[in-house]
Amino acid sequence: MSGAHDTKPVYPDEQESITIFENTYEQYRQRISKYFSLKLNPSVADDLTQQVFLKAVENIHSFKGSSNLFTWIFKIAQNTVKNEYRRLSRQKESPYDFTEYESQSISLEFTKHVDIRIDIGSALKKLDEIDQEIIALRFFVDCTLPEISKIVGRRESAVKNRLYRALEKLRKELKEWGDIAIMSIQDLISIVNKGENQDTNDRTKKVHQDLFDELNNSVERVSTKYKHHPSQKVVIEIYPDLPTFHQAVGETDAPNWFMGTYEGRTLKIVSPLNPGPEHTYQSILKSTVHLFAMWLISDINPAAPKWIRQGIGGYEAKQMSQDFIKGSTEDSIRNQSIPSFDELNNDTWDFETMKGFQFSYMMVEFVVERYGVDALNKLIRSPQDFEGIFQCSETELHEQWVKYIKI
């Protein structure tokens, strides 16, 4: 929580209103802006936030201290939203749907390096409008239950009951996520489920335990191996199916094998429960390790070539069997169509066609077996220093590798 909640009524002296509102603006600005981002187009949130605080300053004389200052200001924000809705209606425009807002996810701390996010946007659409409002205020605007009670005009006990029932509905809508979503939410609001039937979904509990185990067994190992512990936590976003994942990353026409990527420190991956036709439950689990290893290499050296990142990702995840690698590349090797290092930096869908995943894996495997992990670590950090690391040119190293994979 933000720590910005009022614990008692505030009675500002009008003569000191400028000083008070400078502090108040900094204290509450982000929460008001986030509310506008949920209710309207995020691009107008900052401007409307400014308007709200200007109106608050102009009308401070009407604040009597019967509520806390935040909820008084928030009422101005609510009226601003209503006015915007009326304006959009006159112009025959649709208001922004907050359930589509890209940040609609609940975070669950996993390790000191990894955070799990679960998209709940589609499930939110199944809730009543008042329940959506309560969920949004509680988790995305960071309101306390007393604040929500004032904002929605309902008793605090009624808000608690509605929140509990809404979370139960979300549990059913998010059943494929097992207990992760509910555990993360309860972490924030400390709900105790009395009389609940325990263990209603063993299968989904196991799914996410497997994911945790896969990461738990790999994150520290990979970080230590490549001598780099991230200064920031990685976020893993899990999407319920391939179409949703492809849309989220802006690749609606992507092939079915494309099921994971990373942007900045955020890893995006499809749910192992709905892996699509090209993958399996287990390969998705391993792909999470693949993505983490790729991200780690990028964090070490953003200029590391694609074949190093992909090769290390595949090598550490071990998601491709040796038989698959050998069988899928033997024609290319036989026909002397083994890609060069430059060709393995191809950032199009052709990377898969040219067996880029397999050849990158084999290149990393070759460096480790022939020169050792220390040499691979040097290559990550100085990818052009072939002479210094291998005492040979890039061309000579490629020739050594070709001989290695032909054996």
Side-chain angles (χ1 to χ4, degrees), residues 230-244:
S231 57
Q232 296 185 78
K233 180 172 288 189
V234 176
V235 172
I236 298 177
E237 294 183 350
I238 307 173
Y239 293 83
D241 51 48
L242 273 178
T244 303

Side-chain angles (χ1 to χ4, degrees), residues 89-251:
S89 178
R90 288 194 298 270
Q91 296 178 3
K92 297 183 178 180
E93 296 180 23
S94 299
Y96 193 73
D97 182 357
F98 94 92
T99 60
E100 297 293 343
Y101 188 59
E102 64 181 6
S103 295
Q104 296 320 309
S105 58
I106 299 296
S107 294
L108 171 65
E109 184 172 304
F110 171 58
T111 72
K112 64 183 179 181
H113 295 316
V114 181
D115 197 18
I116 304 288
R117 281 186 186 169
I118 298 160
D119 184 9
I120 66 171
S122 60
L124 283 169
K125 292 181 179 180
K126 305 292 182 65
L127 300 179
D128 295 339
E129 186 175 347
I130 183 64
D131 291 335
Q132 289 186 14
E133 182 88 347
I134 290 172
I135 291 287
L137 292 172
R138 185 67 184 91
F139 297 113
F140 307 124
V141 186
D142 200 21
C143 290
T144 64
L145 294 178
E147 286 172 346
I148 297 172
S149 174
K150 294 286 186 182
I151 290 167
V152 302
R154 295 171 184 256
R155 296 190 310 276
E156 186 175 338
S157 59
V159 169
K160 286 181 179 179
N161 289 335
R162 291 200 73 108
L163 184 58
Y164 176 77
R165 289 198 298 270
L167 294 180
E168 286 302 296
K169 291 178 184 176
L170 281 179
R171 181 199 291 275
K172 294 175 183 176
E173 293 298 329
L174 293 167
K175 58 183 178 296
E176 71 176 59
W177 301 120
D179 279 352
I180 291 181
I182 299 304
M183 177 168 38
S184 58
I185 292 172
Q186 289 181 339
D187 238 10
L188 296 174
I189 64 174
S190 301
I191 290 179
V192 177
N193 298 331
K194 294 183 178 179
E196 181 185 1
N197 180 17
Q198 299 296 319
D199 181 305
T200 57
N201 205 331
D202 284 343
R203 176 175 174 268
T204 52
K205 288 180 183 178
K206 184 179 183 302
V207 166
H208 292 285
Q209 188 60 54
D210 287 347
L211 175 60
F212 292 159
D213 289 344
E214 194 75 47
L215 288 167
N216 192 42
N217 293 333
S218 303
V219 168
E220 290 297 327
R221 174 182 60 81
V222 172
S223 298
T224 300
K225 183 174 183 177
Y226 295 102
K227 301 178 181 180
H228 182 72
H229 284 77
S231 57
Q232 296 185 78
K233 180 172 288 189
V234 176
V235 172
I236 298 177
E237 294 183 350
I238 307 173
Y239 293 83
D241 51 48
L242 273 178
T244 303
F245 165 71
H246 288 165
Q247 184 175 13
V249 299
E251 298 285 359

Side-chain angles (χ1 to χ4, degrees), residues 7 65 232 318 365:
T7 58
Q232 296 185 78
K318 295 292 188 291
E365 182 183 55

